[in-house]
Each structure stands twice: as structure tokens, then as C-alpha cells.
Amino acid sequence: MNIFVVNSGSSSLKYQLFNWPDEQPLCSGLVERIGSAEAEITHRVFGVGAPAEALHRTLAVPDYEAGLREVVRLLTDGPGAVIRAPAEVGIVGHRVVHGGEAFTGPTLVDAAVKAKIKELFGLAPLHNPANYQGIEVAERLFPGARQVAVFDTAFHQTLPEYAFRYALPTALYTEQRIRKYGFHGTSHQYVAGQAAKYLQNPDARLITVHLGNGCSMAAVRGGRSLDTSMGFSPLAGLVMGTRSGDLDPSVLLHLLGPLGYTTEQVGTLLNKESGMLGLAGSNDLRDVGRALAAGDARAALALDIYAYRIRQYIGAYAAVLNGLDAIVFTAGVGENDALVRDRACQDLEFFGLALDAARNEACTPGLRDISQPASRVRILVIPTNEELEIARQCATL
Ligand code: ADP
């Protein structure tokens, strides 16, 4: 059987096709700038034991349906073809950002599930509409496949109520569903599973640190998320590429009142102009690293703030877990940026962390243990694979 995994954004679409049960990726790809006359498609075919070969195309893709139709053409026809017909896809797995309190695991899509995802548009206006559209289009283009939704929030539905509730009047939770949801669940779940396997301890106490454009951490014990740094939206917690992370809510009131910002301007400021972009002038940690090496004081301070926030959460989550077996770094920055990992693990001897400088610097692929042999807590780098995790959850369902 083949499982096709789709991650639908408002102007982009990422996909990966797996052969099951051997978990062999057949191809992956990305359609960017959907809605423009010059959309770009990158399609990679994985030969068995051979490096992936990429096909690039620039063409007009007026809407999402046209984009997915083009992908189906690439999958089934021409030099990038890996299957003969859409009928060879048994399951389409969809990443859906917000599952609210309704979804705690992978879910077979039917009319009621679609209606529920639609109900959640209000909680995730930037993401759920695109995810919903992805499901509807995939239903038309893969009529013989089962559609499965895998939610970014589902893994964090195990948080105890004292961890997910805000200290606001109760009605705002019971009537408006204002609470912590947490995001990046698929990634935290995947790396936590890999780490537990590596440690040969299914009950391991783990702190997973996902540092990409968006950044979040989770406290995980026995494969269950106990707390996470993102909240009602992905804006809370760590300093991110362009998002502020934690902030005194009064700053918003000050912006909206005396400083005269509109709600929309505050949204743009906090989501798109803050974080490392606001502090250092770039949201890409590679730029910040280069600026630091060139002696830029703004970059140095930005990195200090970024790492300090991570260390604060490590301390908090060591308390949540009442101990710690491993810290896991993942995603673009977490997997690649040795300096960030070094800073994030600094001055944590009290918690039993001892980073091995040489292992931290070595860039070998796959899971890496970058702690000193004597470190009480293992420090791991584990490449995330959200697509594979989604496919696994689809297959399990
Ligand atoms: P997303 O959250 O969009 O899925 P990724 O996990 O792909 O993001 O991470 C993207 C970020 O990773 C980039 O913005 C960049 O800051 C960072 N990054 C990628 N490669 C490196 C690297 N070699 N060194 C430092 N940072 C990197």
C-alpha cells in the first residue's frame, strides 16, 4: 500500500509518498507560491539506496486544486512518476494544525470530522482553512483513498488541566475554549519516540526542543506530553524566527491603547516582525551566526535572549518531570546549529547536563548523542520527520 502525506498551507503544499509497511519514501516535494503565474514545484524521487533526484518546474498554479492536480501528474506520469494511478494510494494523511479538544489522535475523515475542523477555523484562522481545503481537494483527486487527519495539537491533549488552563475567569474556558493547546505535536511525538527507543526506556523523562522557524518545547514522560511552551496559539513560549514568544500581556494593551496600534498591526508585529528578525535583523539563525562571528552586538544579544529562554524552559520542565533522562534537539536550528545547542545547555550542571563540545560540532546524519559519557542527562540531536510520523499514525489507525 502507498500512503500519501500532505501538508497544505495557504500558498504552499508539501507532500511525501511512502510505500508501506516498509516505510520507504518514494518521493517528496513542494509546491510554492500557489495562486501565482510563477509557482514553483520541486519533486524529488528517492531511488532505493540512491540519493534523491530533484525535478524543478515553474508554471502557473492558479489555486490549490490546480497545484495538487499537478502533483498527481508528477506522481503518475513522466520522469518523476512513482505510481501508475491515484488508485495506488490507499491513504492520504493530512497535517491539520488545530484539533481543539475534539481530536486526541489520528482520525478517519468523514462529514462530521470535516464539520468539526471547520468549527475550529476561529481558533486557527491562518492554518485550518488551508488544511480543510487540502482534504476536500484530495477527496476529489484520490477518490479511492481513505483520508486521515493528523492534528498538531493532538499529542498535547494529555496535558493535565492545571497545565493547560490560564488563570482567567472560568467561562472563558468553558464557553470560549481559551486554554493552552500546544502545537508541533507530531514532531515532539516523533522525536520523543525515537529518544525512548535509543534510551531503551519507554518511561523516559524527556524535554524535546523543536527549533525551526517556529520554536517550541515539550515535557514528555512515558510518551505522554505533560506540558508544552506554545499555548492558545503558536505565538507563546520561545523566541522564534519572527514570533515574539512569551510576553507580558500588558505590552499588547500598551500597543493597542497609548501607542495606537490596530489589532491587525499588533498581530503582524508579534507574528511576523518580532523574534530573531526583530532583535537581530534576520529570522535565519545562519545569518545571526555570521553576524555574531563578525562582532555584531545586536546578534550577540539576540542569541543570548534566544538561548536564555530555552534554558528557562529546561529548568521549568525538569521540575514538571521531577527529573530528566534526556534533552532532544530537533528541526532546522536544533539539528544544525551547534552554537545554539551549546548556549542552550550552558550553566545547567545542576541538572546533570554535560555537553561534549566535539560531538556537538560533528555533523553526522541521523540520531546523535552529543553529551559527555559521564553526563547524567543525555543530550540528543534527532532529525524530525513529521511526514513519516503522520504516515505511521495513518497506518496504525
Ligand atoms: P519550519 O519551522 O519552517 O519547518 P525548519 O525546521 O526547516 O523550519 O527550520 C528552518 C530554520 O532552520 C531556518 O530559518 C534557519 O534559521 C534554520 N537553519 C537551517 N539550517 C541551518 C544551519 N545549518 N544552521 C543554523 N540554522 C539553520
Side-chain angles (χ1 to χ4, degrees), residues 71-116:
V71 171
V72 171
R73 215 191 311 276
L74 283 166
L75 294 177
T76 54
D77 196 20
V82 286
I83 54 173
R84 276 162 307 188
E88 288 179 31
V89 172
I91 302 176
V92 182
H94 296 268
R95 173 188 181 218
V96 180
V97 167
H98 214 310
E101 293 184 316
F103 300 107
T104 57
T107 305
L108 199 56
V109 174
D110 59 17
V113 168
K114 286 200 323 196
K116 193 76 211 171

Side-chain angles (χ1 to χ4, degrees), residues 7 14 95 184 210-215 241 243 282-289 306 330-338 340 363 384 386:
N7 184 349
K14 273 199 234 173
R95 173 188 181 218
H184 287 150
H210 177 111
L211 305 175
N213 272 315
C215 301
R243 292 184 212 138
S282 171
N283 61 310
D284 193 317
L285 266 287
R286 287 165 288 200
D287 294 336
V288 180
Y306 186 93
T330 193
V333 180
E335 291 166 30
N336 295 301
D337 198 318
V340 163
C363 297
T384 193
E386 289 165 278

Side-chain angles (χ1 to χ4, degrees), residues 100-346:
E101 293 184 316
F103 300 107
T104 57
T107 305
L108 199 56
V109 174
D110 59 17
V113 168
K114 286 200 323 196
K116 193 76 211 171
I117 294 172
K118 222 171 187 179
E119 261 177 61
L120 294 164
F121 280 10
L123 290 182
L126 299 179
H127 297 105
N128 271 35
N131 304 153
Y132 182 88
Q133 184 186 25
I135 293 173
E136 293 229 301
V137 171
E139 282 176 334
R140 288 197 285 277
L141 299 187
F142 298 92
R146 293 176 197 215
Q147 310 289 327
V148 174
V150 175
F151 299 89
D152 251 23
T153 48
F155 181 56
H156 302 302
Q157 278 297 303
T158 49
L159 259 63
E161 187 161 357
Y162 58 75
F164 74 66
R165 283 284 296 277
Y166 295 125
L168 292 169
T170 303
L172 283 176
Y173 170 58
T174 54
E175 288 164 28
Q176 304 298 332
R177 297 285 143 198
I178 295 178
R179 51 160 286 178
K180 176 187 282 198
Y181 289 99
F183 298 86
H184 287 150
T186 309
S187 177
H188 288 291
Q189 187 168 9
Y190 176 78
V191 297
Q194 297 292 111
K197 229 184 266 175
Y198 171 78
L199 299 168
Q200 299 183 319
N201 177 6
D203 193 41
R205 293 161 302 180
L206 305 168
I207 297 176
T208 49
V209 188
H210 177 111
L211 305 175
N213 272 315
C215 301
S216 69
M217 290 172 59
V220 180
R221 175 157 204 174
R224 290 165 68 84
S225 175
L226 298 181
D227 204 351
T228 190
S229 60
M230 284 178 169
F232 177 68
S233 82
L235 193 48
L238 302 177
V239 176
M240 316 190 200
T242 61
R243 292 184 212 138
S244 62
D246 290 339
L247 204 65
D248 177 345
S250 291
V251 174
L252 275 69
L253 300 178
H254 190 70
L255 290 165
L256 289 165
L259 297 190
Y261 279 61
T262 64
T263 312
E264 199 188 337
Q265 284 171 330
V266 171
T268 304
L269 176 83
L270 298 180
N271 282 295
K272 304 215 167 116
E273 296 167 358
S274 297
M276 294 306 263
L277 179 63
L279 289 169
S282 171
N283 61 310
D284 193 317
L285 266 287
R286 287 165 288 200
D287 294 336
V288 180
R290 279 190 284 269
L292 177 77
D296 184 316
R298 270 205 324 164
L301 177 65
L303 214 62
D304 283 344
I305 297 172
Y306 186 93
Y308 179 64
R309 190 79 56 87
I310 297 170
R311 283 167 42 221
Q312 286 181 304
Y313 271 97
I314 290 175
Y317 288 171
V320 166
L321 294 163
N322 190 18
L324 190 55
D325 296 304
I327 294 184
V328 185
F329 287 97
T330 193
V333 180
E335 291 166 30
N336 295 301
D337 198 318
L339 180 66
V340 163
R341 290 192 301 260
D342 179 67
R343 292 286 178 86
C345 293
Q346 249 172 33

